[in-house]
Amino acid sequence: MKTNAHVLAVMTCSLLTAPLAIADDAAPVKSASVDLNGDGKPEAVSIQFDAPKNEFVLKAGGATLRGPGDDNEPAGVFIVDLDSRDSRKELVVRTGQTDYDQRSFIYGFDGKALKLLGTVPALTEARGNGIILSDSWQGFWNRRDKYVLDAKTGKVSEVPQDLYAVGVEATVKQSFPLARSRTDKKVVATLAQGSTIQVLAASPSSRKGEGYLYLVKSSTGLLGWATAKDLMEKTGGLPLAG
C-alpha cells in the first residue's frame, strides 16, 4: 500500500513536536516525594540547575548527584517505573535541545546513593515492562532503539539491531544504481528517472562519515542498497523536517 507524501510529512512534524511519552505521559517535576527504593518510606526528590558549572543537581533522600547540563536547564526530573514487577521507581533527567544532542540519564536510588543505570538518546516510551524505546530523528526518518533494564544488575543496556526500519517513499530525479549488498558494490538494479522507490531500512555504514546505507525497493520489485548521498541528491519527496 502506498503512503501519501503529505501524510508522511504531517507524521514527521508530529514526531518532532510530540511530548515525551514516558510512564503514561508523566510530566517532569522540580520536586516531589516518592518511594524510590521500595522500603515504604518516600524520599524527597528535587532538581536544580547550576548555571556557572553547567550542571544539574539531582537530590533524593540524603543523596546528591551532579550531571552535565549540556548548556540548558532541564525542565525537571521524570519519575518513572521501568519495571512494575519490582517495587522501585527510577528518575530520568533529559538534557539537550535538539533531536541530535538530547540525552536521557536514568538513575536509581538504593536507599543511600543515586546511581546511574544508563543513558539513552531519548526516553520515548517506558511502560513498566523493563523495556525502553528511544527515538532519534535522522533527517528524513525516525531511528527507534530498544533498551532493557536488567533486573539482576540494575543496568540499562541496548538491544542491538542489524537494521533500522525506515518506511518512506521517494521519486527518482536522477537515475542511480542499487548495490547488491552492503559490502558488494556490484549493481543489482539501476533506478529509472521518474520512478517511485521505497526506502525500507537503514544500516550504519562501516565507512567513516558515510552515515547510513539504505535498503531500497525499486518500482520493479528489486532490492538493493543506496547511499545517503544518492538518496538526498537524486530523489525527491523524502519527508525532510527539522
Side-chain angles (χ1 to χ4, degrees), residues 165-205:
V166 178
V168 302
E169 289 188 350
T171 301
V172 179
K173 297 189 300 183
Q174 179 182 341
S175 179
F176 63 93
L178 295 180
R180 183 180 298 178
S181 72
R182 283 170 282 185
T183 56
D184 186 347
K185 301 303 180 184
K186 291 181 180 178
V187 177
V188 68
T190 300
L191 301 177
Q193 183 177 354
S195 64
T196 298
I197 60 173
Q198 295 177 324
V199 186
L200 303 178
S203 174
S205 174

Side-chain angles (χ1 to χ4, degrees), residues 147-232:
Y147 296 80
V148 295
L149 174 65
D150 189 304
K152 293 183 179 180
T153 65
K155 294 293 184 179
V156 171
S157 58
E158 183 180 356
V159 178
Q161 298 178 72
D162 183 48
L163 299 175
Y164 294 93
V166 178
V168 302
E169 289 188 350
T171 301
V172 179
K173 297 189 300 183
Q174 179 182 341
S175 179
F176 63 93
L178 295 180
R180 183 180 298 178
S181 72
R182 283 170 282 185
T183 56
D184 186 347
K185 301 303 180 184
K186 291 181 180 178
V187 177
V188 68
T190 300
L191 301 177
Q193 183 177 354
S195 64
T196 298
I197 60 173
Q198 295 177 324
V199 186
L200 303 178
S203 174
S205 174
S206 59
R207 295 185 179 184
K208 186 177 180 180
E210 195 172 57
Y212 295 92
L213 293 174
Y214 293 92
L215 182 62
V216 173
K217 180 180 179 181
S218 73
S219 60
T220 58
L222 298 175
L223 292 179
W225 291 88
T227 64
K229 187 174 186 294
D230 278 344
L231 286 179
M232 296 296 288

Side-chain angles (χ1 to χ4, degrees), residues 3-208:
T3 304
N4 184 279
H6 175 70
V7 173
L8 280 170
V10 171
M11 291 172 61
T12 297
C13 292
S14 297
L15 170 67
L16 293 175
T17 58
L20 205 62
I22 61 177
D24 296 324
D25 298 322
V29 296
K30 292 292 186 180
S31 62
S33 179
V34 61
D35 181 9
L36 296 175
N37 61 333
D39 64 356
K41 301 176 182 179
E43 282 78 37
V45 175
S46 66
I47 187 170
Q48 296 176 325
F49 186 60
D50 187 342
K53 293 185 177 180
N54 189 28
E55 294 177 338
F56 63 81
V57 182
L58 180 64
K59 295 182 179 181
T64 299
L65 180 147
R66 285 178 172 265
D70 291 340
D71 297 317
N72 75 304
E73 181 177 357
V77 57
F78 293 88
I79 300 169
V80 301
D81 186 359
L82 296 183
D83 192 341
S84 59
R85 294 168 294 186
D86 61 34
S87 57
R88 297 185 294 273
K89 299 289 190 299
E90 290 75 35
L91 302 175
V92 176
V93 180
R94 181 184 181 184
T95 64
Q97 303 181 53
T98 70
D99 286 309
Y100 298 99
D101 66 4
Q102 67 180 337
R103 289 188 294 171
S104 291
F105 297 86
I106 306 170
Y107 298 99
F109 180 72
D110 62 6
K112 296 181 179 180
L114 283 163
K115 297 182 178 180
L116 180 65
L117 306 182
T119 305
V120 302
L123 205 161
T124 305
E125 184 177 308
R127 301 297 182 185
N129 58 0
I131 296 173
I132 296 168
L133 298 180
S134 178
D135 292 339
S136 54
W137 187 244
Q138 303 299 315
F140 65 88
W141 61 284
N142 177 57
R143 170 171 166 164
R144 169 155 285 192
D145 288 289
K146 177 182 177 180
Y147 296 80
V148 295
L149 174 65
D150 189 304
K152 293 183 179 180
T153 65
K155 294 293 184 179
V156 171
S157 58
E158 183 180 356
V159 178
Q161 298 178 72
D162 183 48
L163 299 175
Y164 294 93
V166 178
V168 302
E169 289 188 350
T171 301
V172 179
K173 297 189 300 183
Q174 179 182 341
S175 179
F176 63 93
L178 295 180
R180 183 180 298 178
S181 72
R182 283 170 282 185
T183 56
D184 186 347
K185 301 303 180 184
K186 291 181 180 178
V187 177
V188 68
T190 300
L191 301 177
Q193 183 177 354
S195 64
T196 298
I197 60 173
Q198 295 177 324
V199 186
L200 303 178
S203 174
S205 174
S206 59
R207 295 185 179 184
K208 186 177 180 180

